[in-house]
Amino acid sequence: MSQRIQFSQTGGSEVLELVEANPDAPAAGEVRIANKAIGLNFIDIYFRTGLYPAPSMPSGLGTEGAGVVDAVGENVTHLKEGDRVAYAQGPLGAYAAHHTLPAAKVVKLPDFIDFETAAASMLKGLTVQYLLRQTYELKGGETILFHAAAGGVGSIACQWAKALGVKLIGTVSSAEKAALAEKNGAWATINYTEEDVVERVRELTNGEMCDVVYDSVGKDTWEMSLDCLKPRSLMVSFGNASGPVDGVNIGILNKKGSLFVTRPSLNGYADTRERLEMMCDDFFAMLESGKIQIDVANRYPLAEAGKAQDALQSRKTTGSTVLLP
């Protein structure tokens, strides 16, 4: 027997329950992983609340983790039992002691990356990789606005942007988070609870505004984010922490400067084995170089997954959080 977190109805963190379960044997093309650490991400809350529908009920939760392969299905050639591995995609169910998923979504973990670091950073690191290196390929010298700059994704983005020679302006909710973002390499920070974000961006850029805005907040920051852009620049909406952006008249992009907008996702970029490997190689190289360091700031036992989600949703956390089975 094994243990996993599941939910039978959508709602608050109270719908999550720890249950005993028999881990699935891997089918052809699959592997089973004995998790050593599990990543916590905002998308997990979207599934729990029903913003993103789960395929069936009761449902597992989570898509990110790291551990050791303990069973291998037929036709899997790049992995074997005992391999140290990590993953950030696949079917829901990572909140568990064991998780079975397609082998194509699993990568070998270099020896210099420990399980907690991998579980805390795979989804976030690959997200930053596609945002900064593919959605808009930053070359150096650009000025960008990145919301939630002290969070798990933001902390990596600050470091990667600095390594690229990019001026990252990060929004934060407290002086403590501002200090963390600046420590991680943010060129400037804006406390949105005390400052007018658009006016502060205008001051910081001498009226030129930003080449790209990266917005994971969604509904509450949509128009404000557009107002921080230069004409003909790019708005990257990649999350819904305050709710989804909907009911938008596309004409607003014309009105605010012939702007571009995209709504990317990791699955849309890491859509082949080759692309996933390329993205992982890029991210792992940044970790090995020391240009990016992962702050595993919060650890919870698997049984306290709901408590961990509440802390994340209330924006009480900085850095990354892992669950430990």
Side-chain angles (χ1 to χ4, degrees), residues 31 69-70 72 76-85 108:
V31 294
V69 175
D70 81 343
V72 179
V76 175
T77 58
H78 70 287
L79 296 172
K80 64 182 185 304
E81 288 186 25
D83 281 346
R84 300 175 68 255
V85 295
K108 288 184 180 179

Side-chain angles (χ1 to χ4, degrees), residues 244-295:
V245 176
D246 54 18
V248 174
N249 180 346
I250 197 171
I252 196 173
L253 302 176
N254 172 41
K255 179 181 178 182
K256 293 184 180 294
S258 296
L259 303 175
F260 296 86
V261 65
T262 184
R263 179 61 174 90
S265 69
L266 177 58
N267 287 338
Y269 279 86
D271 57 345
T272 66
R273 178 77 198 170
E274 293 72 24
R275 290 182 68 88
L276 174 61
E277 291 280 5
M278 176 274 291
M279 293 168 68
C280 287
D281 288 347
D282 194 14
F283 176 52
F284 292 166
M286 294 297 288
L287 290 178
E288 187 173 24
S289 72
K291 293 177 181 177
I292 292 178
Q293 298 183 1
I294 305 303
D295 177 22

Side-chain angles (χ1 to χ4, degrees), residues 2-7 16-19 21 23-24 31-41 43-44 47 55 58-68 85-102 105-106 115 118-120 122-124 300-303 305 309 321-325:
S2 182
Q3 289 187 320
R4 77 167 192 160
I5 294 289
Q6 68 177 34
F7 61 107
L16 301 181
E17 55 180 345
L18 182 70
V19 299
D24 293 334
V31 294
R32 188 175 65 209
I33 297 165
N35 282 329
K36 301 299 183 183
I38 301 152
L40 180 79
N41 297 285
I43 193 172
D44 306 338
F47 279 107
S59 174
L61 197 59
T63 61
E64 178 184 41
V68 176
V85 295
Y87 58 93
Q89 301 169 278
L92 297 179
Y95 284 25
H98 296 83
H99 187 36
T100 302
L101 71 162
K105 301 297 185 182
V106 180
F115 292 123
M122 275 290 288
L123 190 145
K124 302 171 188 69
Y300 291 83
L302 180 61
Q309 286 194 355
T321 299
V322 293
L323 304 175
L324 302 176

Side-chain angles (χ1 to χ4, degrees), residues 93-309:
Y95 284 25
H98 296 83
H99 187 36
T100 302
L101 71 162
K105 301 297 185 182
V106 180
V107 297
K108 288 184 180 179
L109 201 56
D111 290 340
F112 62 85
I113 303 176
D114 63 72
F115 292 123
E116 288 190 9
T117 296
S121 67
M122 275 290 288
L123 190 145
K124 302 171 188 69
L126 295 182
T127 296
V128 175
Q129 196 284 333
Y130 80 71
L131 290 174
L132 304 192
R133 307 302 292 145
Q134 297 188 74
T135 304
Y136 187 103
E137 188 178 359
L138 295 169
K139 305 288 189 181
E142 299 92 345
T143 300
I144 65 175
L145 181 69
F146 207 102
H147 288 299
V153 173
S155 295
I156 295 173
C158 287
Q159 296 175 73
W160 209 322
K162 182 179 180 181
L164 292 170
V166 171
K167 293 180 177 179
L168 183 148
I169 302 170
T171 67
V172 295
S173 60
S174 68
E176 176 191 13
K177 290 188 175 183
L180 177 60
E182 289 165 8
K183 177 184 176 183
N184 282 326
W187 175 67
T189 56
I190 302 172
N191 185 336
Y192 64 81
T193 68
E194 300 175 351
E195 302 175 278
D196 183 304
V197 174
V198 178
E199 289 306 312
R200 187 69 182 123
V201 167
R202 186 170 286 112
E203 292 172 6
L204 288 166
T205 63
N206 295 318
E208 292 189 7
M209 311 309 279
C210 296
D211 298 287
V212 194
V213 172
Y214 296 97
D215 190 335
S216 60
V217 179
K219 180 180 179 181
D220 289 354
T221 52
W222 165 252
E223 284 215 38
M224 176 261 283
S225 291
L226 296 180
D227 287 335
C228 291
L229 284 164
K230 297 176 180 178
R232 300 174 301 281
S233 294
L234 178 65
M235 165 71 167
V236 183
S237 177
F238 70 100
N240 318 281
S242 67
V245 176
D246 54 18
V248 174
N249 180 346
I250 197 171
I252 196 173
L253 302 176
N254 172 41
K255 179 181 178 182
K256 293 184 180 294
S258 296
L259 303 175
F260 296 86
V261 65
T262 184
R263 179 61 174 90
S265 69
L266 177 58
N267 287 338
Y269 279 86
D271 57 345
T272 66
R273 178 77 198 170
E274 293 72 24
R275 290 182 68 88
L276 174 61
E277 291 280 5
M278 176 274 291
M279 293 168 68
C280 287
D281 288 347
D282 194 14
F283 176 52
F284 292 166
M286 294 297 288
L287 290 178
E288 187 173 24
S289 72
K291 293 177 181 177
I292 292 178
Q293 298 183 1
I294 305 303
D295 177 22
V296 185
N298 315 281
R299 297 169 177 83
Y300 291 83
L302 180 61
E304 295 183 7
K307 182 178 178 181
Q309 286 194 355

